[in-house]
């Protein structure tokens, strides 16, 4: 959790990753060493499975897509880099479908399997690390995310990759993000320092740095970083990424974070336009009934509440309707329920419930 230095951000940000900080989780990682050596048949099966699952975005289509991937995974060996790259590619696709269908815990396990493939290309393992850290943070496993980030940073140093800008910036961004979530502001600042002046500062790197600036009150520069993140995703034609670090997730998170920032500083016209864009994008990508749509609806409702307070107007009916719909999409249990609430959305649910009062 982000402590005293970033508490001001909590009220302004119900986040796309389900944490009450101006987040995003996420980063497109451009292929650093070229396209991994996955075999052609595996790539065809992966593309078919992903396309089929996302064609309807139903429980049935996702289950069918997973069956194709499980069959493909069973056909992959693990004795050299080519075979392990093929296996890793299938596992990343499985983690994507599991994440999109709401099963983050199983997605995490698939990403850990990729990390165990020590003969696979470094580029593909970087993708897995980035996605794994993103999901661990989203699910509230901050210590675990810190450990993964630390191990990756050490691995980059051991292999001498710290001289490669893309790799070094990715490693620092991942580590900086975990420090930010843990509330270690000074450590996060030391890792992000200087990134804004580099060509690599786009996509997830710009988004994560923007979140740091947002949380520490540098709204002008945070706005610039969010815009760089959005434009960086648009300009990236070939990338490899997974789960809440993929291109769509980065673009959506950056747009949502920018909308929250605009609301926070009182630019409600821009905030409404930006948040509406994020909402439309989330509905198109995840479907109208996905929990992420509920998260964004909470942000929209909070924006209307802030606007009503500043302008001394009333939009209670609109706010209540949005909050109730958000809670419904996030499948919030009754307040007196003894059941376990998913860590990913519990803080956003608290914000939504507070908005109903």
């Amino acid at each position: 959790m982000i402590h005293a230095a970033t508490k001001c951000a909590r009220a302004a940000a119900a986040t796309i990753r389900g944490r009450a900080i101006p987040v995003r989780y996420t980063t497109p990682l451009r292929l650093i060493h070229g396209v991994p050596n996955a075999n052609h048949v595996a790539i065809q099966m992966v593309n078919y499975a992903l396309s089929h699952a996302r064609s309807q975005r139903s429980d049935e289509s996702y289950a069918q897509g997973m069956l194709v991937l499980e069959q493909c995974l069973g056909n992959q060996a693990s004795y050299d880099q080519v075979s392990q790259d093929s296996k890793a590619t299938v596992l990343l696709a499985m983690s994507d479908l599991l994440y999109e269908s709401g099963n983050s815990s199983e997605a995490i396990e698939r990403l850990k399997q990729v990390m165990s493939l020590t003969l696979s290309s470094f580029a593909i393992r970087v993708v897995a690390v980035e996605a794994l850290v993103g999901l661990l943070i989203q699910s509230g496993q901050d210590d675990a995310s810190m450990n993964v980030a630390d191990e990756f940073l050490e691995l980059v140093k051991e292999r001498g990759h710290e001289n490669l800008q893309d790799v070094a910036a990715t490693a620092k961004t991942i580590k900086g993000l975990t420090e930010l979530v843990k509330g270690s502001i000074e450590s996060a600042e030391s890792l992000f320092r200087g990134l804004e002046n580099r060509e690599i500062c786009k996509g997830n790197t710009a988004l994560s740095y923007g979140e740091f600036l947002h949380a520490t009150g540098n709204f002008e520069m945070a706005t610039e970083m969010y815009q760089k993140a959005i434009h960086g995703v648009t300009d990236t034609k070939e990338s490899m990424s997974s789960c809440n670090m993929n291109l769509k997730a980065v673009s959506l998170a950056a747009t949502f974070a920018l909308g929250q920032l605009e609301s926070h500083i009182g630019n409600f016209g821009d905030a409404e336009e930006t948040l509406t864009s994020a909402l439309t994008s989330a509905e198109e990508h995840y479907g109208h009934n996905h929990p992420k749509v509920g998260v964004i609806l909470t942000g929209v409702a909070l924006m209307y509440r802030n606007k009503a307070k500043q302008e001394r107007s009333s939009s209670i009916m609109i706010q209540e309707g949005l909050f109730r719909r958000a809670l419904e999409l996030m499948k919030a249990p009754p307040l007196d329920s003894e059941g376990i609430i998913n860590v990913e959305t519990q803080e956003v649910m608290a914000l939504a419930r507070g908005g109903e009062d």
Side-chain angles (χ1 to χ4, degrees):
M1 283 306 173
I2 295 180
H3 302 306
T6 58
K7 284 184 178 178
C8 62
R10 288 180 179 272
T15 74
I16 203 63
R17 283 178 286 192
R19 299 294 295 277
I21 55 177
V23 136
R24 132 297 227 188
Y25 288 20
T26 200
T27 296
L29 176 71
R30 294 174 299 163
L31 290 181
I32 299 167
H33 300 300
V35 179
N37 299 314
N39 70 62
H40 184 63
V41 174
I43 292 175
Q44 282 188 322
M45 292 185 72
V46 164
N47 287 336
Y48 171 77
L50 294 175
S51 177
H52 178 76
R54 293 164 175 167
S55 64
Q56 299 178 38
R57 296 195 180 279
S58 64
D59 291 342
E60 183 178 2
S61 67
Y62 275 109
Q64 291 171 344
M66 284 297 294
L67 283 176
V68 173
L69 293 175
E70 287 168 3
Q71 180 182 2
C72 184
L73 184 65
N75 294 331
Q76 305 307 315
S78 300
Y79 52 79
D80 60 12
Q81 181 175 325
V82 173
S83 59
Q84 287 205 0
D85 276 358
S86 299
K87 193 169 187 176
T89 300
V90 178
L91 287 168
L92 286 175
M94 294 176 80
S95 69
D96 277 338
L97 293 190
L98 288 165
Y99 170 69
E100 290 175 19
S101 58
N103 194 343
S104 293
S105 61
E106 285 298 319
I108 286 172
E109 292 307 311
R110 298 303 188 280
L111 292 170
K112 289 179 178 178
Q113 286 181 261
V114 176
M115 295 302 301
S116 70
L117 299 174
T118 56
L119 296 179
S120 62
S121 65
F122 192 67
I124 214 167
R125 292 169 66 193
V126 171
V127 171
V129 168
E130 193 172 41
L132 179 57
V133 168
L135 288 189
L136 288 171
I137 291 176
Q138 178 173 299
S139 54
Q141 301 180 54
D142 298 342
D143 290 337
S145 69
M146 180 75 76
N147 291 337
V148 173
D150 286 339
E151 291 175 6
F152 176 58
L153 192 56
E154 286 303 312
L155 180 62
V156 168
K157 292 177 180 179
E158 288 175 7
R159 292 200 171 195
H161 291 311
E162 69 270 20
N163 294 322
L164 298 176
Q165 281 197 351
D166 283 23
V167 178
T170 298
K172 287 184 177 181
T173 296
I174 293 172
K175 175 62 174 172
L177 194 57
T178 61
E179 294 286 359
L180 177 61
V181 171
K182 291 284 286 185
S184 303
I185 303 302
E186 291 183 3
S187 296
E189 183 177 16
S190 68
L191 290 159
F192 288 124
R193 187 181 298 124
L195 288 178
E196 72 277 10
N197 298 320
R198 297 188 182 183
E199 174 109 13
I200 187 62
C201 190
K202 53 182 147 183
N204 183 60
T205 300
L207 175 56
S208 297
Y209 187 33
E211 291 165 355
F212 168 77
L213 295 165
H214 189 163
T216 53
N218 191 338
F219 300 141
E220 181 177 356
M221 196 165 180
T223 298
E224 180 183 341
M225 288 299 110
Y226 288 149
Q227 291 171 340
K228 286 186 79 170
I230 296 169
H231 295 153
V233 169
T234 303
D235 295 340
T236 301
K237 295 188 170 47
E238 181 181 317
S239 75
M240 189 175 183
S241 48
S242 185
C243 297
N244 64 353
M245 292 287 188
N246 65 34
L247 290 174
K248 191 65 179 180
V250 173
S251 177
L252 178 58
T255 303
F256 184 47
L258 180 59
Q260 293 176 95
L261 189 154
E262 294 288 0
S263 174
H264 191 186
I265 62 179
N267 294 338
F268 297 114
D270 291 339
E272 183 173 6
E273 181 179 350
T274 304
L275 290 173
T276 298
S277 175
L279 180 61
T280 300
S281 181
E283 290 176 335
E284 290 176 350
H285 186 68
Y286 295 105
H288 292 270
N289 298 316
H290 196 278
K292 277 187 171 45
V293 175
V295 174
I296 296 178
L297 282 173
T298 301
V300 175
L302 289 170
M303 181 273 295
Y304 280 123
R305 185 173 69 179
N306 292 339
K307 181 180 180 181
K309 286 182 178 179
Q310 181 166 314
E311 298 179 353
R312 296 184 179 181
S313 60
S314 176
S315 57
I316 294 178
M317 296 298 292
I318 295 176
Q319 293 173 46
E320 286 188 352
L322 291 171
F323 282 130
R324 290 182 186 280
R325 177 57 177 161
L327 288 171
E328 178 185 337
L329 292 176
M330 290 184 285
K331 299 178 174 60
L335 285 173
D336 58 356
S337 171
E338 296 181 358
I340 297 175
I341 302 175
N342 192 327
V343 178
E344 294 181 30
T345 54
Q346 62 182 355
E347 291 181 348
V348 183
M349 289 178 184
L351 285 169
R353 280 185 168 133
E356 285 189 297
D357 296 338

